[in-house]
Amino acid sequence: MRKFNFMLMMLASVFTMGSCSSNNDDPVSTNPFDNITESSNKERDKIVIISDLHLGNDLTYSENVKHLKRLEEFLGEVRSSGTVKELVIGGDMFDEWYIPTRSETYPGGSQADFIKKSVKANQGVFDLLNGIIKDGKIKLTYVPGNHDMGFTPENVNLALPGVNQARDPKDKFGIGTYRPDDYPQIAIEHGHRYDFFNAIAPNANEAEAPGATLPPGYFFARIAANSFTDPTTKDAATKVPEVKLQDPSNPEQYSKNVYYSLWKHVLEEVIFVKDNFSEPIIKTNVGNFTKTYSINDIMPTNNPSDGSIQMKLYNNLFTQASWDARTKYNNVPFPTNINKAIAGSLNTEFLDDQSDEQYFKNATSNTRIVVFGHTHKPMIKTFTNVLGQDCIYANSGTWEDQKTRDKNAAIDQDNLKMDFVIISPVNSDRKKLRVSLFNYHGGKHVPVDSKSVDL
């Protein structure tokens, strides 16, 4: 009898516990996206933004190798979250630019083959992204960047069937701006349309490559790949030939000298290489370029006859009128100063501040939050628009590895880069948004900064 009574007591205890559990709130999720301070964490209302993944198709030189497993973990968390509404990839998901100069971009194949090879090289990442699309719970949006500006919508769809692609109309598919569902006050773009080195460059080299639109940054990236795949020391690097500005009063010559100064600084201080600058080493066969070029073909030189600064490629880009026309082609609302734009390719505060110049100071824009990638420098900044309202700019950073020329260097890759941004309502108030910047260091969501704005 005692045994029977004990069993009844145990059963009653179990039912009581079950009853108590059913009266409580939903159990706390262990997914970090579902446990964010100042969020209701009860509905799908979070927008997650990442950019600059730089997924190459050859992991022997890709810019993202060490971070791939963490990226897979991160995407798995996004996919399993019950509160993420959208995932936005803000450009440079693929990388058609960072390829050693002596390598063919499409060796015996096509752009579609390049895409398929990129998917295979990063299969775990694309399996998760395609899983997000197929689940149908989280909207996945891709915005083009400069390193993947040449990929057609059809070829991106080969990698991510059904992905939402945010692109500017018609032939300007290499740029785009995304405004999330229900939030026209948010603008997400890569940011390269404002960059002299990386904005689409139509009619720049018609004599050499009719129809080509790839900008100077394409050649910069090809040369940069050499710096790390075939490294040398700063002292042993090939020195940049001297170029003199003969006529500072000539605006075009002055701008070409600014361009030269940037190249000189980068090649002697940042991406030094040991290549002979006169040797044709840059194999193209991409984006209507068909020839093999030398570094000198891109670099400014003094014309032997009159001493003026000239170059083989991009020689006609260096007037203010030309830059104005180019920014207009790239759908930039307000033209910028050409010399500031050239220097701003390296001193990237200029690019970050275009969020203010092009959006917040634009009296016709209702944009209150802008997110760029491109510079690889994660940050949050605040501005005030023309109506005196608070505005927020965020840069979503990068997931590329920390580069090194020393293959034996001890680098803690697990605590470098891997940045992301979350935009979410504050306590379910859709008129008050918090913009938060995180690192995914050690597989954890590490807060960096956050700001809120009342829409």
Side-chain angles (χ1 to χ4, degrees), residues 48-306:
V48 179
I49 303 129
I50 55 176
S51 69
D52 298 84
L53 309 184
H54 291 279
L55 302 175
N57 74 355
D58 188 332
L59 298 187
T60 62
Y61 57 75
S62 172
E63 292 192 278
N64 188 343
V65 178
K66 303 296 185 182
H67 289 160
L68 285 178
K69 287 301 178 185
R70 287 299 190 197
L71 179 56
E72 291 174 14
E73 291 176 20
F74 174 84
L75 293 174
E77 290 177 4
V78 172
R79 184 181 183 185
S80 63
S81 166
T83 64
V84 172
K85 177 185 179 183
E86 299 197 40
L87 173 62
V88 183
I89 302 176
D92 286 0
M93 176 172 67
F94 300 100
D95 201 328
E96 192 181 37
W97 286 18
Y98 192 82
I99 297 170
T101 61
R102 293 171 177 84
S103 299
E104 293 278 0
T105 303
Y106 310 144
S110 64
Q111 186 181 91
D113 296 322
F114 185 98
I115 289 277
K116 292 173 184 176
K117 187 179 176 185
S118 297
V119 171
K120 186 175 181 180
N122 305 277
Q123 193 68 60
V125 171
F126 282 97
D127 285 347
L128 284 158
L129 290 172
N130 280 304
I132 289 171
I133 295 171
K134 290 175 182 176
D135 291 345
K137 298 175 182 178
I138 298 170
K139 182 178 180 180
L140 178 61
T141 296
Y142 159 79
V143 181
N146 54 304
H147 281 242
D148 48 15
M149 65 162 52
F151 290 137
T152 65
E154 295 76 16
N155 282 336
V156 168
N157 202 59
L158 290 175
L160 297 170
V163 67
N164 180 50
Q165 300 188 45
R167 299 177 181 268
D168 284 11
K170 299 180 180 179
D171 59 338
K172 301 173 187 179
F173 58 80
I175 47 178
T177 303
Y178 178 61
R179 295 186 182 272
D181 293 344
D182 304 320
Y183 284 110
Q185 306 95 330
I186 301 174
I188 304 169
E189 61 168 300
H190 190 61
H192 60 294
R193 73 173 82 219
Y194 314 106
D195 185 341
F196 184 91
F197 266 71
N198 294 296
I200 301 172
N203 306 312
N205 299 289
E206 287 302 290
E208 279 290 316
T213 61
L214 286 172
Y218 166 76
F219 289 94
F220 172 89
R222 298 295 303 275
I223 297 167
N226 279 18
S227 180
F228 293 95
T229 58
D230 188 18
T232 188
T233 65
K234 179 178 176 179
D235 291 339
T238 306
K239 299 299 180 283
V240 177
E242 287 297 321
V243 170
K244 295 187 180 297
L245 175 60
Q246 304 292 346
D247 185 4
S249 66
N250 183 316
E252 181 180 18
Q253 287 292 295
Y254 185 87
S255 295
K256 286 180 176 179
N257 190 61
V258 175
Y259 182 73
Y260 163 77
S261 298
L262 189 146
W263 269 108
K264 180 177 173 63
H265 172 80
V266 168
L267 285 172
E268 293 187 348
E269 302 293 336
V270 183
I271 60 163
F272 32 90
V273 296
K274 59 186 177 183
D275 300 294
N276 181 336
F277 284 10
S278 298
E279 180 185 352
I281 59 169
I282 309 173
K283 294 182 178 180
T284 58
N285 294 315
V286 62
N288 284 24
F289 283 100
T290 59
K291 299 179 182 178
T292 301
Y293 294 98
S294 70
I295 294 175
N296 279 342
D297 289 332
I298 294 96
M299 291 285 295
T301 60
N302 285 119
N303 186 305
S305 61
D306 62 8

Side-chain angles (χ1 to χ4, degrees), residues 67 87 111 119 143 172 204 312 329 333 360-361 384 420 439:
H67 289 160
L87 173 62
Q111 186 181 91
V119 171
V143 181
K172 301 173 187 179
K312 183 171 183 176
Y329 182 89
F360 306 142
K361 289 181 179 177
T384 302
F420 62 101
N439 304 132

